[in-house]
Amino acid sequence: MQRSVAAIVIPDAALKEGLSGGEALGSPGGAPEPVVGTPDDKLDADYIKRYLGDLTPLQESCLIRLRQWLQETHKGKIPKDEHILRFLRARDFNIDKAREIMCQSLTWRKQHQVDYILDTWNPPQVLQDYYAGGWHHHDKDGRPLYVLRLGQMDTKGLVRALGEEALLRYVLSINEEGLRRCEENTKVFGRPISSWTCLVDLEGLNMRHLWRPGVKALLRIIEVVEANYPETLGRLLILRAPRVFPVLWTLVSPFIDDNTRRKFLIYAGNDYQGPGGLLDYIDKEIIPDFLSGECMCEVPEGGLVPKSLYRTAEELENEDLKLWTESIYQSASVFKGAPHEILIQIVDASSVITWDFDVCKGDIVFNIYHSKRSPQPPKKDSLGAHSITSPGGNNVQLIDKVWQLGRDYSMVESPLICKEGESVQGSHVTRWPGFYILQWKFHSMPACAATNLPRVDDVLASLQVSSHKCKVMYYTEVIGSEDFRGSMTSLESSHSGFSQLSAATTSSSQSHSSSMISR
């Protein structure tokens, strides 16, 4: 337990049973395999003390046997003893379980060439400029210290400019650098240092960080890191946690391993400056200046990623980064006379439909419709609903031409006109079960009322929309009614210090809905 109540220690959901001298090593019968006292079953005591830390005889035996198995069965480079130990510790020295996750990780590392990431991959400039994180000396235990100013980062901007692949690769490079720094500090301090400390400053965290596609990307990154870098986080210090933090924690914590969660210390406000705070873990001389310390910290300050750096899914797919096979965003083309539509089936009324889309080209009108019956599946070359696939994105039409508005389907929200370059986030609380259709439709330029001559602005705008084609990048998600209370705040993602919001907010008596536009 910590010495002060200033830090909130995240409680364990359940403590895993550790391995003692008489517990099983994962063998089917439940009894440990016999340990034969041969020289091959022993490691040099000085080597253990210097590089591995305290090990019981049984733990030492587990390490030796797992290493021997890897040498006999695994072709190519095998991990060092320190890294094998991480997998064993992550599974409480159950050899079978540790071997399973290690083999999966080794295959993953080989498939994606992770061993060479520090030498062969150069982070894009946008990461160097806007990712507010970096290494900063070490803590009192000699662990490398990583500082992340999460509250200052434009999470949506980074995902939209880089894509999930590059963002994940950057996080992997940070972890690889952490392993390298642990090795260096082990040599410098003359004792085993196998993990690092992470200091996360949440000053500035607000609703924009709870943008749902960004949270989903974060969860996927956590999943990859947990699977391939077990027991590498020694301590996580979360500072200046604002009131919105519990919402983020509720979304993220179920995906964090119990062993990892025990290492979290959370401070609200300036509690980190008191007893049991930052000085217990970090020397006064290296506390960063933005935390009222004396040490200049070279971690970038983050800030708004310019929308001019945003890229489409097609542009991101052309890059040779394939750690994930699918992207959060989908792209669609919208033609004059051929809107793009997606179907969402709602079983429980009061569910929440959420959306986040960017208008990459042209102007569009966004509509939401409801129908009691499902449209026919899209078919090519049919008289009604049909689908077009083009290099620039999909185009799917679901509303049959014979359907009549007011009879076969109804409009549940006022149309929202969205201009080229705008980002739109919103949500709709459904009133009825059935089928909801989200539609992006080409927005025709209105003629000037006073004259038949077109306005200059209209002419210029029409030149930008070649072949009457618009393009949108979109993300949608449905939140069940039972999760509505805890999730609604995370939908209001446009309450952002980074965005200038318009007054384009719509609502109706039939539902609770909001759409916010940032330019």
Side-chain angles (χ1 to χ4, degrees), residues 105 117 141 186 239 291 398 425 440 486 495 513 517:
S105 180
I117 192 170
D141 295 321
T186 295
L239 276 54
L291 294 174
L398 299 170
Q425 301 88 35
W440 291 268
H495 291 299
S513 176
I517 302 177

Side-chain angles (χ1 to χ4, degrees), residues 48 225 243:
I48 294 175
V225 172
R243 290 184 176 182

Side-chain angles (χ1 to χ4, degrees), residues 159 164 209-223 248 251-252 255 324 326-329 354 475-478:
V159 173
E164 300 162 78
H209 295 93
L210 302 184
W211 168 67
R212 294 195 69 84
V215 172
K216 181 170 283 190
L218 174 62
L219 295 179
R220 298 172 77 180
I221 290 174
I222 289 175
E223 182 180 11
L248 179 62
L251 295 171
V252 172
F255 298 88
W324 281 320
E326 75 281 353
S327 174
I328 282 178
Y329 277 89
T354 73
Y475 164 89
T476 63
E477 182 180 358
V478 177

Side-chain angles (χ1 to χ4, degrees), residues 355-367:
W355 56 83
D356 181 285
F357 63 86
D358 292 277
V359 185
C360 304
K361 182 179 181 182
D363 298 343
I364 60 100
V365 180
F366 180 63
N367 285 301

Side-chain angles (χ1 to χ4, degrees), residues 9 130 137 143 155 219 231 248 345 363 387 401 489 500:
V9 182
Y130 296 100
H137 301 282
R143 296 189 184 106
T155 50
L219 295 179
E231 297 296 314
L248 179 62
Q345 183 175 3
D363 298 343
S387 173
K401 291 183 179 180
T489 51
Q500 295 294 326

